[in-house]
Structures are given as C-alpha cells and as structure tokens.
Amino acid sequence: MTATIWRRRVWLGFCYVVLVPGAILFLAPFAWLVSASFQHVGDIFSWPPQWIPKNPTLDGYKGFFGIGKAGELAQGSEGAWRWFLNSAFVAGSVTTLQLFFNSLAAYTFAKRRFPGRNLIFLVFLATMMVPPQVTLIPNYLVLKHVPFFGGNDVMGQGGHGFLDSYWGLILPGAVSAFGIFLLRQYMMSIPDELLDAARIDGAGEFRVFWKVVLPLCAPALAATAIFTFTYAWEDFLWPLIVVSSSDHYTAPLGLALFVVKNRTSWNLLMAGSVVATLPMVVVFLIFQRRFIQGISMSGLKG
Amino acid sequence: MSARGRGARNGVLKRMWRERSAYGFLAPGLILFSIFTVFALGFAFYLTFREWNILEPEKPFIGLQNYQDLVHDKDFGRSIINTAYFTGASVPLGMLVGLCVALLLNQPIRGRGLLRTLYFLPTVTPFVVAAIIWKWLYNGDFGLFNYYLLKTHLITEPLVWLSDKNLAMPAVVLMSVWTSVGFSMVVYLAALQAIPNDLYEAARIDGAGAWARLRYVTWPMLRPSTLFLMVMGIIGSFQVFTQIYIMTSGGPLNRTTTMVYYIYEAAFKFYEMGYASTLAYALFLMLLVFTALQLRLYRRADV
C-alpha cells in the first residue's frame, strides 16, 4: 500500500518537474516583451539582457501613442491610437454582423423546410473547404471596382472602390459558412415543439427566432463571438492587402509595417505589442471556459 | 408539358411563396456569400486564363499559358518544398508537445488551472505580436537565443538565425510550435476528460501497467482528436503567411518562401493577378487532395 502511495508521489513530483520549467520557458518570450516595453532603447540592446529594467521608463508607450516627443516617428505614432480603435471597430462589426447573419441562416437551415434548402446548404458546406487565398485576389478586384465608391464611376472604373475603407475590411468577413454550420448543429437540438408553441401563440417567424431560439443558443453564440472577435482582431493578410493609408491601419497591420519599415525603435514596438496583446489576454481570462467550450465544440463535433 | 408536371411546378412555386420568410432570413448571408465566395471562386478560375496585370490596361486571354508557367516555375517548386517542410515539422511537433502537456496536466496536481492558462497564453497572442517577439529573440546581435547559447558554450559564434539558409525555417517552425501547443493541449484535455474511468478500471483489473493503459486505452480513445488536430494543423500550415512576412520576408535565398507568401508576392508585388490565381488554385487542389486522403483515413479509422 505505501509503495503505491510513494509511486504516486514520485509520479506527481515528476509532473511538476516537467511542467513548471516548461511553463517558465513558454512564458519567457512574454516576460521579455513586457520587460523590454519598459526599457530605454539602449537598454533593450544591453548585453547581458536585463530581465528587470534597471531604469524603467514609459517612453515606449508614450512614443508609440505619440504622447510627448515622438521625434523621428511622428508620422507613424500619430496614428497608433487610431489603429487600435480601427481594430476594435472592425472586429466588433464583423462579430456583430456574423452573429446576426450566421444565426439567421443557421435557424433557417435547422428549423425551416423550403424548396432548395438542401442544395443551398450543400453549397455552403462545400465552400468551407475553400482556402481564403483563392478568393483573396478576386475579392480584391471586386472591392476595387464597386461603382460610385472611392471615386469610381458607374462602371466601377477610375477610383479605388471599397479598398482602403472600413467597408472593405468588414464586408467580406460579415458571414461565415463555418459559423453557420456550427450554429445549425447547435440549433438542431432545440425541440420543434417549443417553436410550434410560440407559433400557436401567434408569434411571427422572426419573433420565434429572436425570442425563443436565440436565447437558447446563448452558449454557442458566446463561444463563436469570442472566436470571431479574436480572429478578426488579429487578422493580418486581408488588411495588409486592402488598406493603404495609415488612417485605416488595424493594430496588427500597423505593428507589422512598423517592423518592416523601422528597424530602430524597438521600445515603441514592444510597447505597441503589449497593448495589442492585452485585449486578447483579457478576453481569454474572462471567458476561459467559453473559449475551451468553443474549441471542443468545433473540434469534436465538426 | 403534362398537366401533372405543371401541377408539380405550381406546387413548388406555391411552397416557395409560402416559405418566403425563409428566403428572407437567408438573404443577407446568401448575398454576401454569393459575391465573396461563389462568384469569387469562378472569377479566380477565369483569371487563371488571362494575363491580368492591374497596371496594364490590356488583360489578354492566354489560354493555358499560366498553367504551363506554373509547371516550369522553379520558385513555385521551392515554395512547395518549403511549405511541406514547415508543415511536416511544425504539425507533429505541436501535437506531440500538446499531448504530453495535456497528459501531465490531466493528473490531479495543484495549480492545474494556472499551468493550463500559462501554456495556452501563446495561442491567444496575436500572431503578429508573436512574430515580432520571436524576431527579436532570434536577433543575431542582441537576441536572447544567442546570449544564452553563447553563455552555455553551446555555440562559440553568434548565429544569424533568420538570415542563415539552414536555420531560418527551423526558427520559424519553433516559433509556430510555441503558438500552437496551447490549442492541441486544450483539444487533447477535453478528449482525455471524456474517457470513461471504467475503461481504466477494467484495464487495471486485467493487469495493465501505466504504459499499457496509455498505449491500449488512452491513445486509441484520443484518435478522433488526433485526426482532427492533424487535419486542422495541415490546413493551417499550408496557409502560413504572417510569420514569414514579418520574420524573414521569404528569405534567405527563398528558403522560407511558402506557397501563400509566393502567391502574395505574385499578386501584390508584381501585380500578376492571373498567375497568382493559378498558384492559388494549385494550393486549393493540394489541400483538397490532402483533405480527401484524411477523410478516408477517418472513415477507415471508423470514428
């Protein structure tokens, strides 16, 4: 008996010995990021590296947001606040639109019978396989030629259309086949009798959807909302292609172009990176359970 | 048309009218979807038969020229090799580390929740930020990697990680594994917690030791998760872009030019939309073949 207890203790001890140093290694890059964001430019380059800043400073943050002296970076840092607002606006809009459009479509596929349903659903399903890179180029051209926008004429010629605008950032992401599929699976489990009861009480189709089905889907909606938001917040390739003026930069785009164009101001970059990561970490810490629910929902049923 | 046929058609129209609210509900999603996915797919295919440079007014029809170019394009071949290298290294590694962490974190140890959060944090870091941090860690002059490797005398000269043609890709792989371990860990943990305890009890009664239980109970029960992670991992790795753009820009000597990075360059550096679309379709085709293979695996595995 004692032998098994000892074996168990040794085993649990082994778990710690592996997991704790592992976690420290995993965390080290973050720790370095946070530490560097509070250092002077010169100290970031110091050798040996300073894990705890000897002369902590907020210069990185101030510089990044253009508070105080921005010096050589005046033009880039002037827009930094705006990049984050842009990201919040774009990610918020994409999430709201997706939740609404996806759940409307999911409800229709799950609970309504109408001619063409299976065919349309099949097309949706099939396109889940299409990698976004295939539609990247045509969508770029389509948005460029939207008539009457961005200086375009009626034929969509002459200007830049929806490119370099919030429309261009938001519209292509406003619906997702995968999101529709997930919500539909969830809605299938809601009993039809519940819906019929509401209909008998005189509720119209939209009321049934809005007052009965949606509230029951709250867990699924929350999980997909978190995913959609984080995905939209950190999307990079699409903004890189669509946006050209720094007024419309999203946070990841601004940071990335900062790296490519600017090789000296690492402290500003580190500060900006900390700020770009914070919302994600906060969302994760608050919604940890939903996050994990969402992963297992998409993972194990899909 | 026979009377019966007409009747049936009227029936369909009537039903469509009766269910008109269903179409109304579908409309917003369907319209966006038709433009940005269905139409876009067709348009991309149309582009593959044209020389479509946005800077040129003429967009001539060139038949299969783009496809011929593609077959003879050495850089495209290189990008496939690089993508395969990246996928082959990062997917199994991320899954393996994720599985090990999940197995250990499934034990009744204190601080489980905290440790789980720590291992998951890299997964919620924006990709761009992760790439920036790691670019700094790999810095040839001041990077932490070189500092600690020199200090422990594992190397005698500083290494220029991201500019060394043999080290650049492993460096990108390592960074990508860091970001993906959390995801596989969570998927595996969910699966581990769903395994009924009776199975372990039964195995114990049959005299199975820890290793045998892992080999004959846990591992088979994790199969669906493993396949899922493999499918998702391969699809994701085939599309790797952000790390490459920020950390190496495809260099040195094209050693980290992946397929998506190559497509991006063709389309938005050289403005060859036609050729880039052909490349994108090639990527699509490869993903289809892979997914089909994996679905067969799924079916054979009977899960």
Side-chain angles (χ1 to χ4, degrees):
Chain A
M1 196 65 207
T2 39
T4 40
I5 288 176
W6 271 108
R7 257 174 54 193
R8 186 140 193 87
R9 283 201 185 147
V10 169
W11 164 238
L12 290 183
F14 169 78
C15 290
Y16 277 115
V17 170
V18 177
L19 283 174
V20 172
I24 291 171
L25 273 182
F26 257 66
L27 219 60
F30 278 115
W32 175 250
L33 171 71
V34 174
S35 164
S37 75
F38 289 108
Q39 294 180 16
H40 292 281
V41 173
D43 293 348
I44 297 180
F45 295 91
S46 67
W47 194 267
Q50 301 177 10
W51 282 92
I52 294 167
K54 284 202 187 90
N55 307 301
T57 169
L58 288 174
D59 279 3
Y61 292 89
K62 283 184 191 152
F64 188 75
F65 286 112
I67 308 163
K69 267 199 311 195
E72 83 234 59
L73 293 154
Q75 100 215 56
S77 50
E78 170 215 337
W81 274 113
R82 197 167 165 152
W83 303 346
F84 287 92
L85 289 178
N86 286 343
S87 272
F89 176 65
V90 169
S93 309
V94 166
T95 310
T96 315
L97 290 175
Q98 265 210 27
L99 284 188
F100 187 57
F101 292 163
N102 286 356
S103 55
L104 268 175
Y107 169 73
T108 321
F109 285 130
K111 293 298 178 194
R112 301 289 300 272
R113 313 191 144 269
F114 54 92
R117 180 181 76 164
N118 293 341
L119 180 72
I120 301 174
F121 187 62
L122 204 71
V123 173
F124 266 92
L125 270 191
T127 51
M128 269 165 56
M129 310 261 291
V130 177
Q133 289 79 23
V134 179
T135 51
L136 198 71
I137 293 159
N139 284 346
Y140 173 86
L141 295 173
V142 165
L143 291 176
K144 184 176 159 57
H145 295 296
V146 175
F148 302 122
F149 270 92
N152 276 348
D153 59 19
V154 61
M155 296 302 290
Q157 301 294 323
H160 55 74
F162 275 169
L163 295 183
D164 203 20
S165 76
Y166 293 116
W167 291 108
L169 282 169
I170 294 166
L171 272 188
V175 65
S176 127
F178 187 63
I180 292 174
F181 178 72
L182 271 187
L183 277 170
R184 171 186 171 270
Q185 295 303 92
Y186 197 88
M187 287 179 185
M188 302 271 268
S189 65
I190 297 173
D192 285 336
E193 290 78 12
L194 216 59
L195 279 58
D196 287 335
R199 288 189 187 116
I200 289 165
D201 287 347
E205 241 359 86
F206 189 77
R207 239 179 118 85
V208 173
F209 161 73
W210 192 254
K211 294 275 181 185
V212 180
V213 175
L214 268 197
L216 288 172
C217 291
L221 288 171
T224 48
I226 294 163
F227 272 110
T228 314
F229 189 88
T230 44
Y231 184 82
W233 176 275
E234 59 169 293
D235 190 18
F236 177 64
L237 181 52
W238 183 246
L240 175 69
I241 286 164
V242 170
V243 173
S244 48
S245 66
S246 75
D247 273 357
H248 291 113
Y249 280 5
T250 55
L253 184 64
L255 283 171
L257 296 183
F258 203 78
V259 187
V260 174
K261 284 179 190 156
N262 224 296
R263 292 170 190 283
T264 51
S265 312
W266 279 91
N267 58 337
L268 308 200
L269 190 61
M270 296 292 183
S273 299
V274 170
V275 182
T277 311
L278 266 181
M280 296 298 91
V281 173
V282 170
V283 166
F284 170 66
L285 290 179
I286 296 174
F287 298 108
Q288 245 193 74
R289 281 191 44 212
R290 291 249 186 272
F291 233 98
I292 288 164
Q293 231 174 34
I295 287 180
S296 27
M297 204 161 65
S298 60
L300 303 175
K301 281 190 194 158
Chain B
M1 189 187 284
S2 71
R4 214 171 135 243
R6 205 179 306 141
R9 168 170 285 176
N10 278 338
V12 168
L13 285 176
K14 244 187 221 153
R15 274 189 59 208
M16 287 178 78
W17 179 247
R18 203 171 55 227
E19 304 290 346
R20 60 193 181 278
S21 70
Y23 300 105
F25 279 26
L26 271 185
L30 212 55
I31 290 168
L32 287 170
F33 191 75
S34 311
I35 298 170
F36 292 116
T37 305
V38 180
F39 172 77
L41 263 178
F43 190 25
F45 192 59
Y46 167 83
L47 285 172
T48 64
F49 299 105
R50 308 228 147 214
E51 187 178 330
W52 189 296
N53 187 316
I54 355 182
L55 304 179
E56 310 279 338
E58 293 292 308
K59 331 268 195 212
F61 176 82
I62 51 167
L64 294 174
Q65 187 64 47
N66 279 329
Y67 291 90
Q68 275 173 22
D69 290 350
L70 180 109
V71 175
H72 297 113
D73 185 346
K74 285 219 173 62
D75 290 339
F76 180 58
R78 184 78 235 173
S79 78
I80 295 179
I81 294 172
N82 291 337
T83 309
Y85 179 178
F86 176 82
T87 307
S90 68
V91 175
L93 214 62
M95 285 170 63
L96 186 69
V97 178
L99 175 64
C100 293
V101 175
L103 284 172
L104 295 179
L105 276 178
N106 199 37
Q107 303 300 316
I109 56 172
R110 241 178 263 179
R112 224 161 38 157
L114 177 70
L115 282 169
R116 220 153 66 170
T117 306
L118 295 182
Y119 279 101
F120 197 70
L121 273 180
T123 306
V124 284
T125 315
F127 242 66
V128 168
V129 171
I132 290 172
I133 307 178
W134 282 74
K135 187 172 179 164
W136 177 256
L137 297 179
Y138 285 130
N139 185 301
D141 299 320
F142 311 99
L144 295 192
F145 271 109
N146 278 347
Y147 177 77
Y148 287 108
L149 288 175
L150 284 169
K151 210 177 153 193
T152 50
H153 301 291
L154 285 170
I155 53 173
T156 48
E157 287 285 302
L159 297 172
V160 280
W161 294 88
L162 296 173
S163 325
D164 183 306
K165 70 181 166 66
N166 296 319
L167 283 178
M169 191 54 106
V172 176
V173 167
L174 191 63
M175 175 263 162
S176 309
V177 169
W178 182 71
T179 62
S180 73
V181 163
F183 184 75
S184 14
M185 175 197 74
V186 165
V187 171
Y188 274 131
L189 266 176
L192 282 172
Q193 276 153 17
I195 301 178
N197 237 329
D198 313 3
L199 288 179
Y200 290 109
E201 295 299 327
R204 245 191 220 112
I205 290 165
D206 290 344
W211 173 251
R213 289 199 299 271
L214 180 66
R215 169 78 183 73
Y216 295 106
V217 181
T218 312
W219 179 242
M221 292 298 281
L222 290 180
R223 201 165 182 152
S225 308
T226 305
L227 281 166
F228 166 74
L229 285 171
M230 216 165 79
V231 175
M232 298 297 277
I234 291 179
I235 291 176
S237 303
F238 260 73
Q239 301 173 8
V240 56
F241 176 80
T242 309
Q243 301 100 301
I244 305 290
Y245 181 90
I246 291 173
M247 291 169 74
T248 64
S249 306
L253 301 170
N254 275 347
R255 282 312 174 94
T256 57
T257 306
T258 55
M259 287 171 75
V260 174
Y261 191 79
Y262 192 56
I263 294 171
Y264 166 78
E265 278 198 320
F268 298 99
K269 264 194 184 155
F270 304 111
Y271 300 113
E272 293 291 352
M273 300 293 177
Y275 188 55
S277 294
T278 320
L279 294 170
Y281 256 99
L283 172 74
F284 186 16
L285 197 73
M286 285 183 208
L287 275 177
L288 272 185
V289 170
F290 258 97
T291 317
L293 279 175
Q294 282 166 332
L295 285 180
R296 283 194 73 159
L297 251 174
Y298 251 128
R299 215 163 292 149
R300 182 136 10 114
D302 208 25
V303 285

